[in-house]
Amino acid sequence: MSPIDPQLESRPSPEAPDLTPRDEHNRELLANVHPSGWANPTPQSRYNLVVLGAGTAGLVTAAGAAGLGARVALVERHLMGGDCLNYGCIPSKSILRSSRVWHEARSAAALGFSGFAPATADFGAVMARMRGIRARISRHDSAPRFQSLGVDVFLGEGRFAGPDRVEVGDQMLRFKKAVIATGARPSRPDVPGLEEVGYLTNETVFSLTELPRRLAVIGGGPVGCELAQAFRRLGSEVTLFHGRPRLLNQEEEESSDLLRQVFDREGIRVLLGSRPLRAERDGGGKALVFRGTQGEERVIVDEILAGAGRTPNADGLGLHAVGVKSDPRQGILVDDRLRTTNRRIYAAGDVCSGIKLTHAADAAARIVIQNALFLGRKRVSALVLPRCTYTDPEVARVGITEAEARAAGLPVRVFLRRMAEVDRALADGEDEGFVKLLVDTGTDKIRGATIVARHAGEMINEITLAMNAGLGLGTISGVVHPYPTQAEAIKQAADACNRTRLTPRVKALLARWLQWTR
């Protein structure tokens, strides 16, 4: 292991990854997140923090630490921005927006419009728009921008080479503390023959330029449900396989039931409790064989999208050199303060978290900054983390579900308000869904909430704020909400909770008071 040469010249980064199609948008994206000819800087003598991985957790950690005056090195082997920018949130939500417009155009007659010709989606234009949005947003995650923030950006493979060193090519970065934020990748489905026939993941589906006429989606979680609905609305015939008895099986049962009804109505073939047994070539198509009601059955498609499961990127990092333990399924093992088994090294984001969400990675990164640099004692378990699946309607949740409360023996009361009872939802023609609130029996403390509505992801924040601040439903009931809004459903559910606090004894006392003051 060679010492750091203070006169070490800057080294060029590895060749930039290839992205298809090779259009102006992808060229702009690569120029930002993996610039061709990028020269890695001369390493400083020692860094306060070396961050491995430039996805959400790594970027937030690096920018936040540098902003506080720390000397920070950021190492990325592939594309800065990670999954969220390149393969996840940004491209998927761009496509979802286009598919929603198509659906609204097809549904215009319900709002009083007649004579509309059936809308036809231009899939190539939809994907080009997505690539343009992704390229534009990539400026925020770019190597030049982070360099301007005072972060030393190294593009290349990073691995631990000693108790205080990270190796990037032939350069050595010495650190006081380090953070592993290398993210996760799509899991390989355990379906014999699938590798041979070929399949898409979230890392390849956004490179499509032609719409698959027939698409099979494996997995009925958030990714599978979002993309199944989007591709169906854009014109694909979609078959969705899900091994569990209901979609979004981690959410409230009412959410799953409603989403299944929507999928049935929109023509998505949903096969619950069903996993493909094998994949085969079938002429010019691909066949997925599964066990149906009549024995073995086949679905013939043009493309297969594997949308179930993520595997932490914890291999190839030289963890043995620094005594950091990992697990193939859980990834890097951390405590509640995000310390690994080496107390000088922390981890954040999908590489160590069971909740693989962008905002969870962001929140974890902020904890790491405080704990690693300033002897903080922030804990992940103290976070109130909402989640949202961006189907139409959206499914958002914070806290526990009713089933989880019952399983834990928590006595809760349930308050439910259907969107069909909310004036603005009716006026918008968006009356499918509900607001469901769980509170402790005897108090108004919020234990959990689920919102299924067109804008559920926006609405859940009010409840998340209340839970984070320790405010009960009584406080929400006392907040004046503008009328008419769909968020009024939350206030109405809170009002229902307040009314239950008027016990017969309280009502009798109030009646006596009113009689006395007449």
Side-chain angles (χ1 to χ4, degrees):
M1 186 164 53
S2 59
I4 292 177
D5 180 358
Q7 304 301 318
L8 190 65
E9 295 290 333
S10 296
R11 304 298 172 91
S13 69
E15 281 298 313
D18 189 26
L19 290 179
T20 57
R22 297 175 181 175
D23 63 359
E24 59 180 315
H25 302 309
N26 278 340
R27 286 195 295 272
E28 180 183 353
L29 175 70
L30 283 176
N32 285 326
V33 300
H34 198 120
S36 177
W38 177 264
N40 287 337
T42 300
Q44 299 186 41
S45 58
R46 184 186 291 268
Y47 290 97
N48 297 107
L49 212 58
V50 169
V51 182
L52 294 176
T56 297
L59 292 175
V60 173
T61 300
L68 294 170
R71 287 177 293 177
V72 181
L74 177 62
V75 182
E76 173 55 51
R77 66 180 180 85
H78 191 45
L79 302 176
M80 293 184 65
D83 261 19
C84 181
L85 171 67
N86 299 291
Y87 310 121
C89 311
I90 300 304
S92 66
K93 278 31 174 200
S94 300
I95 294 173
L96 290 176
R97 177 61 179 134
S98 294
S99 73
R100 182 175 289 185
V101 169
W102 177 91
H103 181 71
E104 289 174 342
R106 300 275 293 187
S107 307
L111 296 177
F113 293 88
S114 60
F116 268 46
T120 301
D122 183 340
F123 186 75
V126 168
M127 299 302 278
R129 173 182 177 272
M130 175 273 293
R131 293 193 298 275
I133 292 170
R134 182 172 63 180
R136 180 178 176 184
I137 293 175
S138 70
R139 303 167 194 168
H140 304 302
D141 297 347
S142 69
R145 176 173 180 263
F146 272 75
Q147 183 182 52
S148 73
L149 295 176
V151 176
D152 283 355
V153 177
F154 294 83
L155 298 181
E157 295 273 357
R159 64 188 305 276
F160 291 102
D164 66 345
R165 296 168 187 255
V166 166
E167 178 184 58
V168 184
D170 57 3
Q171 293 178 296
M172 287 289 179
L173 315 181
R174 295 183 62 199
F175 62 81
K176 293 182 179 179
K177 300 285 179 65
V179 179
I180 303 171
T182 47
R185 62 187 182 275
S187 298
R188 298 175 64 176
D190 186 19
V191 179
L194 195 58
E195 293 284 344
E196 288 73 18
V197 303
Y199 63 96
L200 300 168
T201 69
N202 72 295
E203 292 187 353
T204 56
V205 68
F206 300 115
S207 294
L208 291 176
T209 55
E210 295 184 6
L211 179 74
R213 185 172 67 85
R214 302 164 299 182
L215 176 70
V217 178
I218 302 175
V223 173
C225 285
E226 288 178 6
L227 293 180
Q229 187 179 43
F231 274 84
R232 175 60 190 142
R233 288 181 167 187
L234 293 172
S236 294
E237 298 174 12
V238 177
T239 301
L240 175 62
F241 291 87
H242 190 46
R244 302 296 183 89
R246 59 184 179 88
L247 299 171
L248 301 180
N249 43 276
Q250 294 185 345
E251 305 299 336
E252 292 280 7
E253 190 170 349
E254 296 98 324
S255 307
S256 304
D257 292 344
L258 193 152
L259 193 61
R260 172 65 190 272
Q261 294 169 22
V262 170
F263 280 14
D264 287 345
R265 186 173 68 236
E266 295 189 7
I268 299 172
R269 184 185 181 190
V270 179
L271 300 174
L272 295 176
S274 178
R275 291 193 173 117
L277 300 174
R278 62 184 182 275
E280 302 171 345
R281 283 283 177 188
D282 189 291
K286 304 174 183 182
L288 285 175
V289 181
F290 66 99
R291 194 170 306 284
T293 56
Q294 307 299 320
E296 283 194 1
E297 300 181 31
R298 299 162 68 86
V299 172
I300 311 299
V301 297
D302 301 296
E303 294 287 357
I304 301 168
L305 172 63
R310 306 279 295 164
T311 299
N313 292 322
D315 48 338
L317 299 176
L319 300 181
H320 62 281
V322 284
V324 171
K325 294 183 179 179
S326 67
D327 176 86
R329 294 176 65 95
Q330 298 177 56
I332 305 295
L333 301 182
V334 294
D335 63 14
D336 202 18
R337 297 176 190 168
L338 295 177
R339 295 176 301 192
T340 69
T341 46
N342 180 332
R343 294 202 167 198
R344 296 178 62 193
I345 299 175
Y346 291 72
D350 291 0
V351 74
C352 64
S353 175
I355 303 175
K356 294 178 173 26
L357 300 170
T358 295
H359 51 279
D362 182 301
R366 296 166 192 267
I367 289 175
V368 163
I369 293 171
Q370 296 177 68
N371 290 353
L373 297 181
F374 300 104
L375 303 177
R377 303 177 66 83
K378 298 291 184 179
R379 297 181 179 273
V380 176
S381 59
L383 293 174
V384 179
L385 286 173
R387 57 198 295 162
C388 186
T389 299
Y390 296 92
T391 47
D392 185 14
E394 296 175 354
V395 179
R397 174 165 68 90
V398 64
I400 60 176
T401 65
E402 184 178 2
E404 289 170 342
R406 305 299 182 203
L410 295 174
V412 295
R413 294 176 296 157
V414 178
F415 297 92
L416 189 140
R417 187 71 171 176
R418 300 202 176 276
M419 299 306 292
E421 302 170 309
V422 179
D423 296 351
R424 179 59 185 273
L426 288 168
D428 288 340
E430 299 171 355
D431 56 349
E432 277 191 310
F434 57 86
V435 171
K436 181 176 182 179
L437 303 177
L438 308 180
V439 300
D440 277 341
T441 299
T443 74
D444 67 344
K445 180 180 179 180
I446 306 169
R447 285 290 185 175
T450 290
I451 302 177
V452 181
R454 170 60 71 90
H455 308 289
E458 307 289 345
M459 295 166 63
I460 199 70
N461 295 320
E462 178 177 14
I463 303 170
T464 305
L465 174 62
M467 293 178 67
N468 194 64
L471 304 175
L473 273 187
T475 300
I476 293 180
S477 177
V479 173
V480 178
H481 289 63
Y483 176 88
T485 59
Q486 294 191 24
E488 193 184 8
I490 299 171
K491 178 177 172 62
Q492 292 170 354
D495 288 344
C497 176
N498 260 2
R499 288 193 292 272
T500 65
R501 303 176 78 176
L502 292 175
T503 64
R505 181 173 181 274
V506 171
K507 288 181 180 179
L509 290 172
L510 290 175
R512 289 176 59 185
W513 169 259
L514 292 172
Q515 185 177 19
W516 182 74
T517 57
R518 276 192 299 184

